[in-house]
Amino acid sequence: MDLVTSKWIGLMYATLSLVAVTLYNTIFKMIKTLSVWEVVLIQGVVQLLLIFPFLLKFGLDVCGTPGIRSLLWIGSVLSTASSIFAFISINILPFGDALAIHFSSPGLVILLTHCFLQEFCGILKTTSVVLLFMGITLITKPMGLENNFNHSNVTNVTNVDCSVRPVCY
């Protein structure tokens, strides 16, 4: 398979993943009585049932590849925590706000890979990350930006500063 074809296939899978996650979160939001813990448990069981036959077929170690097991387990714990936090945020925040924040992760990935892995981050990527975080800030309207911008007092300025500052870093 050539490079162009593999990139298109990768783009197709990323798009399918985005659609699946969005539909999954929409279904989760529609069911008001569903517990976050039930969702995470069922998700884990389904993943285990779907992946286990492939592990056996390809002869892979169930505990992970030796030498990188600890990183694999840390990543798995972080992935599970991410799912739990995403579902809790969907229950607490407006649906659009929670998903906008959740889907801003590529911007953080670009920043972190530039800082820690020294990946190239040109003008286009930098501009995209800045616009992404500005858009997230405008979509979610953090405390202080929404209603009380007419009154210029110290509390509102502090609220805006506290809500925008993490986005800038």
Side-chain angles (χ1 to χ4, degrees):
M1 182 177 338
D2 65 344
L3 185 62
V4 173
T5 305
S6 64
K7 284 191 176 193
W8 278 106
I9 290 173
L11 181 62
M12 180 190 67
Y13 279 123
T15 304
L16 288 173
S17 173
L18 176 67
V19 169
V21 167
T22 303
L23 290 174
Y24 179 62
N25 287 327
T26 303
I27 291 169
F28 179 74
K29 183 67 172 184
M30 290 170 37
I31 304 172
K32 301 285 185 200
T33 59
L34 194 60
S35 167
V36 171
W37 308 112
E38 288 176 293
V39 172
V40 172
L41 175 67
I42 292 169
Q43 182 182 14
V45 169
V46 169
Q47 286 177 352
L48 182 64
L49 291 174
L50 290 175
I51 297 301
F52 198 70
F54 290 103
L55 289 173
L56 295 176
K57 179 182 177 182
F58 295 114
L60 299 173
D61 190 351
V62 178
C63 294
T65 305
I68 59 168
R69 283 186 180 147
S70 59
L71 288 176
L72 179 64
W73 283 95
I74 290 169
S76 298
V77 168
L78 291 173
S79 176
T80 303
S82 172
S83 292
I84 293 170
F85 298 150
F87 293 132
I88 291 172
S89 71
I90 289 171
N91 278 332
I92 296 171
L93 296 173
F95 185 63
D97 291 358
L99 285 185
I101 293 168
H102 182 71
F103 288 138
S104 68
S105 65
L108 291 174
V109 169
I110 289 171
L111 290 175
L112 293 175
T113 56
H114 175 69
C115 293
F116 296 114
L117 302 177
Q118 286 75 40
E119 285 192 8
F120 178 72
C121 188
I123 296 289
L124 182 62
K125 281 187 180 180
T126 304
T127 304
S128 299
V129 169
V130 169
L131 290 174
L132 171 72
F133 289 136
M134 286 173 56
I136 296 300
T137 302
L138 292 174
I139 288 171
T140 59
K141 296 180 195 130
M143 185 174 44
L145 281 180
E146 192 170 65
N147 297 329
N148 301 328
F149 224 141
N150 302 350
H151 310 290
S152 59
N153 60 27
V154 175
T155 306
N156 288 335
V157 172
T158 305
N159 287 345
V160 171
D161 182 52
C162 290
S163 60
V164 174
R165 188 176 298 219
V167 173
C168 295
Y169 295 109

